[in-house]
Amino acid sequence: MSTASSAKPRRYLALWLPFLPADRIGRRIAPSPSRDEAPVVFTEPVKGALRLAAVNRRAQALGLAPGLTLADARARIPALRALDMDREADAALLARIADLCDRYTPLTALDGADGLVLDITGCAHLFGGEAGLREDLLRRLQRAGIEARASIAGTPDAARALARFGGPGIVPRDDDSDTVRPLPVAALTGEPETQRALLRAGLRTVGDVADRPRVALAARFGTDLVARLARTLGEEDIRITPRRPLPACMVERRFAEPLALIEDALAALAGLATQAAGLLERRGEGGRRFEATFFHVDGKLTRLAVATGSPLRDPGTLMRLFRERLEALGDRIDPGFGFDLVRLSVVAVEPFAVVQPDLDGRAFEEEEVSALIDRLGARFGADAILRFAAIDSHIPERAARAVPAIAAPAAETRPDGPGWCRAATGAPPRPIHLFDPPHPVETLAEVPDGPPVRFRWRRVEHRVAFAEGPERIAPEWWRQSDDSLTRDYYRVEDETGRRFWLFREGLYGRDTGPPRWFLHGLFP
């Protein structure tokens, strides 16, 4: 499966779930279709009163609609069953349905709280055409007890309007305008005030609005209505924003008979890894993030994601990372009724450069370290393996931060962070190990602004044999919350040969209170 060329006409499938809360709750109350035998409404507080937020089919047939107060609804139908509206549960169900739609196209976008839009350009032939794709999707949703409507058109807005307002299932290419003209004006806007204004003006259908001059419509109803009109008529296509980023490379394999064993699915994944390696090799690229998706027959899916510290396209190494990730999950993946689709997506790629080994073998060492980081990241998670990255700050404790070791190294903005030596950069040497926060110490100096001759740390007195400094570090005055003082750092060595990094915070006669001494780090 590959991404369609931008030269092809776009095709979109809009999916609308008119009874989303009823679909969610109905499967728990009673199996379909008996869930519609009793009227059920879903309420939520609006300005201090409980109002209907959604109704099932039976309640709708009895004349109830969203916006009505619960008291009025009970006055009409005493046997009404009222449930609390749970929008988080509805959003979770919609997300699961969107995951199911990933088997048809990688470009799936949420459309409000009760709909989806799929960019199926170049994908329909995998299902026997647009009619086959639409029927397969509706059939899977029906088996799950979910009622839905779907329409296919040339723009997202045209497909959305047809799905929500009773248009045909599939619109022929370049026929969006004639098909949407009979739809009501509600297909153009969801604002009740604009709909009432259009009806008062005698404009009842999309065709009535389309026959009016666009300049006059923009002056009276705003430019947003004109833009929606152009998109609904198929004159403009603004595309969709998918809920998941489009992978740089994607390969998949479908099965006529479901795979009942996870090992068979992993074997299919190994074949896809080899196929993806060939694609990446022709492009001169390697993958940095990979995602394996196992689609279950019952609509569920399982995702496994791994990341690498350097570009990778070796199938064997990739499969070892996936197996490490699978073992880290603890519980084995339950195939259930089996897998009917396995997909491998290369989410992020980078140029793949063949590195010539040095005579000292350091290139092999770097590869081994990178492979170790990849394995540990696959088992424990990328955030559990960290490395230090230099930050553009002269404050020692702010000069570096821990980032995931698997992340691509950024360009170093300054070479004088902790651990750099004077011979390499000319910067004063600093210890690798720093205390956070610095440890307060008691000191005795010959002169107030001089280095200490002895200090006490952790109840042990150290006599200074050699001292070097000071290295003055001023606070970052541009930070509003930075109330630190000027520091004078000294590198000292005691009589036993141990080396310390001390600093005096504050200046005599210039800062409030006497200066204080701290131990910030230890030299190896």
Side-chain angles (χ1 to χ4, degrees):
M1 183 175 182
S2 60
T3 307
S5 172
S6 59
K8 292 183 179 180
R10 312 300 296 187
R11 298 292 285 175
Y12 300 90
L13 183 148
L15 186 70
W16 181 44
L17 310 172
F19 303 105
L20 179 62
D23 291 328
R24 172 175 56 81
I25 301 296
R27 287 178 292 170
R28 190 174 63 188
I29 296 175
S32 178
S34 60
R35 65 176 185 229
D36 287 336
E37 292 181 355
V40 180
V41 299
F42 303 85
T43 64
E44 61 183 357
V46 178
K47 296 182 179 180
L50 282 179
R51 293 186 177 273
L52 306 189
V55 300
N56 70 344
R57 180 179 293 277
R58 179 60 176 168
Q60 187 183 59
L62 294 175
L64 302 183
L68 189 68
T69 63
L70 179 60
D72 292 340
R74 288 195 182 279
R76 300 181 188 182
I77 308 174
L80 186 67
R81 180 170 185 178
L83 301 174
D84 292 335
M85 190 71 174
D86 190 347
R87 296 194 179 275
E88 291 185 0
D90 296 337
L93 176 59
L94 187 63
R96 291 197 296 270
I97 297 174
D99 289 339
L100 182 147
C101 293
D102 282 347
R103 69 170 55 242
Y104 303 103
T105 173
L107 299 176
T108 303
L110 299 177
D111 183 24
D114 57 357
L116 300 169
V117 178
L118 286 64
D119 187 341
I120 60 172
T121 308
C123 303
H125 69 280
L126 300 173
F127 305 90
E130 294 179 350
L133 186 151
R134 177 177 176 272
E135 292 174 1
D136 185 80
L137 172 58
L138 294 178
R139 183 170 59 253
R140 290 180 182 273
L141 292 176
Q142 185 179 8
R143 286 204 302 261
I146 298 174
E147 183 176 349
R149 301 177 188 174
S151 293
I152 298 177
T155 64
D157 293 75
R160 178 188 302 112
L162 294 170
R164 294 175 179 265
F165 295 93
I170 301 178
V171 179
R173 297 183 185 275
D174 302 326
D175 200 22
D176 294 348
S177 178
D178 295 337
T179 307
V180 301
R181 289 179 69 89
L183 299 181
V185 293
L188 293 176
T189 178
E191 300 178 0
E193 297 80 3
T194 305
Q195 295 180 26
R196 288 194 293 267
L198 291 171
L199 293 175
R200 292 195 190 101
L203 306 177
R204 301 186 177 277
T205 65
V206 176
D208 294 338
V209 180
D211 293 336
R212 297 297 186 271
R214 303 290 173 89
V215 176
L217 290 174
R220 183 169 181 181
F221 302 104
T223 57
D224 181 67
L225 177 65
V226 177
R228 289 290 301 271
L229 176 63
R231 296 196 292 265
T232 305
L233 293 175
E235 301 172 356
E236 180 183 356
D237 181 6
I238 61 170
R239 309 294 174 86
I240 62 173
T241 302
R243 58 192 292 264
R244 295 172 57 82
L246 183 65
C249 176
M250 186 177 68
V251 289
E252 64 182 29
R253 183 176 178 184
R254 301 176 184 271
F255 306 97
E257 294 294 334
L259 302 179
L261 299 176
I262 184 62
E263 291 301 327
D264 295 339
L266 291 176
L269 182 63
L272 295 177
T274 302
Q275 184 179 350
L279 295 175
L280 293 174
E281 184 176 3
R282 287 194 290 270
R283 298 180 182 180
E285 297 174 335
R288 286 292 308 277
R289 291 196 299 274
F290 300 84
E291 184 180 80
T293 309
F294 303 92
F295 292 84
H296 300 248
V297 174
D298 57 0
K300 299 179 182 178
L301 59 85
T302 302
R303 287 194 174 97
L304 293 178
V306 297
T308 62
S310 58
L312 173 70
R313 62 189 183 203
D314 178 58
T317 304
L318 180 59
M319 289 307 301
R320 284 195 295 272
L321 294 178
F322 274 121
R323 291 186 180 275
E324 289 277 359
R325 185 59 180 163
L326 190 61
E327 293 177 2
L329 295 178
D331 298 334
R332 302 286 290 180
I333 297 176
D334 183 12
F337 296 101
F339 306 108
D340 61 350
L341 172 62
V342 177
R343 175 182 296 166
L344 175 62
S345 303
V346 186
V347 181
V349 297
E350 287 183 2
F352 189 91
V354 179
V355 180
Q356 182 177 359
D358 297 331
L359 295 178
D360 58 2
R362 294 188 59 184
F364 291 114
E365 294 178 0
E366 294 177 359
E367 291 181 0
E368 292 177 356
V369 172
S370 179
L372 175 62
I373 293 174
D374 295 344
R375 292 197 302 271
L376 294 176
R379 178 171 289 273
F380 301 108
D383 295 335
I385 315 300
L386 304 177
R387 65 175 178 86
F388 286 103
I391 304 300
D392 191 8
S393 176
H394 64 276
I395 304 298
E397 60 267 27
R398 298 175 184 169
R401 65 179 177 183
V403 299
I406 212 165
E412 301 291 348
T413 56
R414 57 189 301 270
D416 56 346
W420 292 82
C421 63
R422 181 191 301 272
T425 64
R430 295 183 178 181
I432 296 177
H433 177 76
L434 298 179
F435 294 115
D436 185 21
H439 294 181
V441 295
E442 300 175 5
T443 62
L444 177 65
E446 293 181 349
V447 294
D449 291 336
V453 295
R454 66 172 181 262
F455 64 93
R456 183 183 300 274
W457 174 53
R458 292 180 177 176
R459 300 181 181 180
V460 177
E461 185 175 285
H462 300 268
R463 293 183 177 274
V464 177
F466 302 98
E468 182 183 5
E471 176 193 355
R472 178 159 294 182
I473 297 180
E476 296 178 335
W477 53 266
W478 56 88
R479 293 179 180 268
Q480 295 287 342
S481 59
D482 192 356
D483 55 354
S484 58
L485 303 176
T486 301
R487 302 176 182 178
D488 282 344
Y489 278 87
Y490 292 89
R491 291 168 294 280
V492 302
E493 181 178 333
D494 65 4
E495 294 176 344
T496 62
R498 300 181 61 184
R499 297 187 298 169
F500 306 86
W501 203 35
L502 301 170
F503 73 87
R504 180 181 58 243
E505 184 180 54
L507 301 176
Y508 283 99
R510 295 178 54 182
D511 296 322
T512 303
R516 298 181 301 169
W517 283 86
F518 294 89
L519 176 63
H520 205 168
L522 301 174
F523 289 96

